[in-house]
Amino acid sequence: MVARARRAVGRTVSTLEGTAGEPPLVLVGCSGGADSLALAAATLHLQRRGTLRVGAVVVDHQLQEGSADVARETAATLRAMGADPVLVERVSVSRERHGPEMAARLARYGAFARAVQDTGAAAVLLGHTRDDQAETVLLGLTRGSGTRSLAGMSEHHVLDGVTYLRPFLWLTRAETETVCAAEGLDPWWDPTNRDTSLTRSRIRHEVLPYLDAQLGPGVAKALARTASVLGADADYLDEQAELALHAALVTPGEPGPTRSAAAAASSSVVLDSAAVQGTPPALRRRVLARACVLAGGETSSFERLTALEDFALGHGAAGPVQMAGKVAAWRHRPDAAHARGCLELRGGSRTVTHETTPTQNNPGSAQ
């Protein structure tokens, strides 16, 4: 099992490049739990072979009594294992706009981004396992999500300029515990992982065991396999939606609707109505979601995107349609001055350029 974990890391980091003749530096996001400690051990094996430099980031969320002690002890263990640098990041978790799990995740990823900026690391490695992947897919199902959400977590993910790698998506949680035992590591057991008031913990300890009991073992593996299949589909659809958005954009200087002074002072994205209406249904909502983000808004809910799609197809009232992030959609009919109808998405005061590039995990993904 140790060899399998090492191979998984080696395969995942194989495309990273170093600088100034040195191997690339990676940071292992480590909580001290079995998954991330096993990941650190496997990654440090590559350092001993001279193919990587390995540091670590330990995030103290300050949500539990004694969390500072856990972070300090984890950092000491990592240094003893050979990781350098080892950064301990203390974060404040704000729950004003998000639930506890999402708020903690946002704080954690902010800490990772700061660590990468401080160290120049090529990537952050995360210890998510096949079990975590299955839980993520089930969470997406309960929320009525589309292809992108049901694709779960990707092995390679870029967020805010930081590359995240998940080498263990095909290892189970039990297998990472086996790796820790073989390496003589004593992992920390997070008590919140047993707190079934949290949705993910309830899925882990109640829902998945129930499904295994009722449907037979292997549910988690099947869900992870589903995520793998849908991930490739979602990537392709996202790429095609980006191209469709480019094709539909009305750039400054082209024939389009007369813009009011208020619209001119705001972030505005103008789409050709005929192009939007001619976009295949599998892509249309993705295009509209990206346009909303481009106008300075946020990724909207299924219900709001459905309303915007109906509006773009010419149904319903004259508008405007309100979208998340203070974006309003206006419909402009052809007239004597403008030969084609347009859909205008008007946002706040942020300056927007009409240049986007196809990216995996685009924040505007609707599905």
Side-chain angles (χ1 to χ4, degrees):
M1 191 52 62
V2 171
R4 185 183 174 202
R6 291 171 176 177
R7 286 195 301 270
V9 175
R11 183 185 67 253
T12 306
V13 303
S14 61
T15 59
L16 298 179
E17 297 181 357
T19 57
E22 291 187 318
L25 170 67
V26 299
L27 301 176
V28 178
C30 190
S31 65
D35 301 343
S36 56
L37 267 186
L39 177 61
T43 309
L44 283 161
H45 171 73
L46 298 181
Q47 177 171 267
R48 292 191 291 272
R49 293 177 56 184
T51 58
L52 279 182
R53 291 179 292 141
V54 181
V57 185
V58 182
V59 180
D60 175 11
H61 296 86
Q62 302 186 81
L63 295 176
Q64 302 174 32
E65 186 177 351
S67 64
D69 294 334
V70 171
R72 183 171 56 253
E73 291 169 8
T74 299
T77 297
L78 291 164
R79 292 187 183 103
M81 293 168 66
D84 181 44
V86 178
L87 309 178
V88 177
E89 293 277 347
R90 297 182 66 190
V91 298
S92 297
V93 178
S94 172
R95 303 186 187 183
E96 290 183 2
R97 298 181 59 188
H98 304 282
E101 293 166 279
M102 177 56 73
R105 181 185 184 278
L106 292 173
R108 184 163 58 252
Y109 276 74
F112 292 151
R114 290 190 296 274
V116 167
Q117 185 175 23
D118 291 344
T119 62
V124 175
L125 273 59
L126 304 175
H128 296 114
T129 65
R130 192 177 76 188
D131 301 272
D132 296 309
Q133 185 75 297
E135 293 159 12
T136 301
V137 174
L138 273 181
L139 280 169
L141 284 170
T142 63
R143 294 165 180 162
S145 302
T147 311
R148 171 54 67 195
S149 182
L150 296 183
M153 298 174 286
S154 60
E155 189 174 71
H156 179 280
H157 173 54
V158 178
L159 178 65
D160 297 331
V162 177
T163 297
Y164 294 95
L165 302 177
R166 298 182 175 91
F168 283 1
L169 284 182
W170 288 104
L171 270 68
T172 67
R173 195 169 290 128
E175 288 170 338
T176 65
E177 294 170 8
T178 300
V179 171
C180 286
E183 297 278 11
L185 299 171
D186 183 20
W188 170 64
W189 303 100
D190 185 351
T192 63
N193 287 336
R194 305 293 307 184
D195 181 3
T196 54
S197 68
L198 300 174
T199 304
R200 183 176 287 272
S201 290
R202 192 158 59 251
I203 287 176
R204 178 177 304 174
H205 297 293
E206 297 178 1
V207 177
L208 277 170
Y210 177 81
L211 291 176
D212 274 339
Q214 298 299 315
L215 303 177
V219 171
K221 183 177 181 179
L223 288 168
R225 186 166 57 244
T226 297
S228 180
V229 171
L230 289 177
D233 293 350
D235 290 344
Y236 177 75
L237 289 170
D238 285 346
E239 290 170 2
Q240 294 303 306
E242 200 70 41
L243 294 173
L245 174 61
H246 275 288
L249 280 172
V250 176
T251 57
E254 287 190 71
T258 303
R259 300 180 66 197
S260 66
S266 68
S267 299
S268 181
V269 172
V270 181
L271 304 177
D272 180 271
S273 292
V276 173
Q277 293 168 8
T279 300
L283 300 178
R284 189 184 299 125
R285 198 167 293 168
R286 284 177 164 83
V287 169
L288 294 172
R290 278 168 167 71
C292 287
V293 173
L294 194 60
E298 302 170 1
T299 301
S300 294
S301 66
F302 173 84
E303 289 77 14
R304 289 200 183 193
L305 281 173
T306 298
L308 179 59
E309 183 177 29
D310 287 342
F311 185 66
L313 291 173
H315 307 317
V321 172
Q322 301 297 327
M323 304 300 293
K326 299 181 179 180
V327 167
W330 302 79
R331 197 165 53 205
H332 300 273
R333 300 184 184 279
D335 54 29
H338 308 103
R340 53 178 170 171
C342 294
L343 179 72
E344 181 183 6
L345 298 165
R346 196 179 302 167
S349 59
R350 186 168 64 88
T351 300
V352 174
T353 61
H354 298 301
E355 296 181 4
T356 56
T357 55
T359 57
Q360 184 179 6
N361 302 308
N362 187 294
S365 297
Q367 300 287 332

